[in-house]
Amino acid sequence: MTESPFSLPDRAEIEPVLRLALERASDYLAGLDDRPALAPDVEERLRPFAGSLPEHGHGAMEAVRLLAEHGLPAATTTAGPKFFHFVVGGVTPAAFGADLLTALLDQPAYAWASSPLGVHLEVLALRWLRELFELPAEWTGVMTTGATMANFVGLAAARQWWGESHGRDPSRDGLAGMPPVPVFSSGHIHASALKCLAMLGIGRDAVRIAGSGPAGRLDAAALDRGLRELGGAPAIVIANAGEVNAGEYDPIREMLDIARRHGAWLHVDGAFGLFARISPRTRHLTDGVDEADSVTVDGHKWLNVPYDCGFSFVRDVGLLKRAFAYSADYLPGPDDPRPNFGSVGPESSRRARALAVWATLQAYGRAGHRHIVEHHLDLAQYLGARVDREPHFERLAPVQINIVCFRYNPGGLDESTLDALNERLGRALLEDGRVFAGTTKFEGRVAFRPAISNWRTREADVDLLVDVLDELGAALARELSRSP
Ligand SMILES: *Cc1c(COP(=O)(O)O)cnc(C)c1O
């Protein structure tokens, strides 16, 4: 055998690389519950990853060893139980195992021709999800990278419908020369929906907010009036099932009735909030969603499957097929009776993310996933009650779902000082790294908004959040009282 002067992929590397990766993965998982949300000296830890492109590679063992050695300790512990920032789900063991196999198989789940397994499991898992969320069986689903792209799918179908109502095909002709697309929502609209409107050529400023008060809660009369003023012209209404600051829900049934009265499209963004539907304790929050035209859900949030994974459900598959029409001589034709996800969604080559979704539903079923959701509902109530008991904290909103909105408030400070203090406390919490939660503005006030969506999280993790905030908050408040 002649020695190459540089490294090349070699079958002999596979066994040792796999053993190394699995060994490190196993150690990592064994310590996951106790890991901080982020090492405080992360920039130091990233230093080994530098330099210019190696001319002669170092081989697979060296590359993977470097990543295990320096990469694992530098990663945010998003899979762990102390990560309350954004809305970040964990990974169930079944989903984790299936995702390893997904990487192993490297299937493009574009169409039957590229992966019967990926496509079959996607069809099946989407059917199970419709059962889980009690959505009509005849709706079409497609898996996406997340809720942003699921919103994109739903709103692309809406745009297609809107264009066709004007006698045009926007996917073929574009929107040039057409009137602006009227879009309505409450102040709860998610930033990703605005990004989707930008990507769809509708424009983020197309949205008219029918909201009132500092939280922008739906003003139903304003929505009704706005649609009536269009005089029957088609419009898109976006309802928000679970917003990120306090876990509030738009009144979906009411928005549905208004949309129907004026012949408008109703899109529901239920990225994490649709999971309220799987517990009888919170199901009422999603009332009416099964009569909408398109619905968004995230997989990597409350379903606890790995990144990246989201679901879009749309009533009229024809709109999706026209919006995402995709063909070439070397691809399966549009009349191929077998499933073809590449022509009902934005991606063509796509990860077989259905394997992890199928696996977690197969492993734990409806009851298991309902238990995960209810465990988080309980933990959110527990956190809310603890915040209420603590003298230095103030809850700012009712605890309705898995988000608790509160601020640090030691008393005797005016609003602008409290805002500055909570902003600094937010930064201090992330620098400290033991536990992660982010800040936001709720009704004009700087607030914490931890979201609980990891199956591993326990009361002790939630307690740690309050304890660390109390400790860091006291230090900042002392500093504040010393400064003139
Ligand atoms: C998280 C979220 C999104 C965006 O989801 P990604 O998975 O990050 O793309 C959209 N809408 C709502 C309500 C969300 O919470």
Side-chain angles (χ1 to χ4, degrees), residues 41-74:
D41 52 347
V42 66
E43 279 164 27
E44 188 64 38
R45 288 166 187 270
L46 290 173
R47 219 154 271 166
F49 303 104
S52 48
L53 170 72
E55 184 59 36
H56 300 280
H58 299 273
M61 272 308 271
E62 178 59 11
V64 175
R65 194 194 57 74
L66 209 74
L67 193 58
E69 205 67 36
H70 300 288
L72 264 52

Side-chain angles (χ1 to χ4, degrees), residues 319-354:
L319 291 168
L320 281 184
K321 284 185 174 165
R322 295 193 290 282
F324 294 106
Y326 176 65
S327 65
D329 291 337
Y330 78 106
L331 297 173
D335 302 326
D336 188 332
R338 292 170 305 179
N340 185 328
F341 287 106
S343 56
V344 289
E347 301 167 279
S348 307
S349 297
R350 45 208 292 285
R351 185 173 165 81
R353 49 180 74 88

Side-chain angles (χ1 to χ4, degrees), residues 390-393 407-411 413 418 421-422 424-426 428-429 432 434 448 465-483:
E390 293 288 332
H392 297 158
F393 288 88
R407 66 179 172 177
Y408 185 70
N409 185 351
L413 301 174
L418 275 174
L421 176 61
N422 277 276
R424 287 182 62 189
L425 181 54
L429 182 73
D432 177 89
R434 275 175 285 174
F448 287 87
L465 174 65
V466 180
D467 293 343
V468 171
L469 280 176
D470 204 20
E471 175 195 318
L472 300 174
L476 285 176
R478 268 197 305 278
E479 229 172 78
L480 201 69
S481 66
R482 274 200 303 272
S483 63

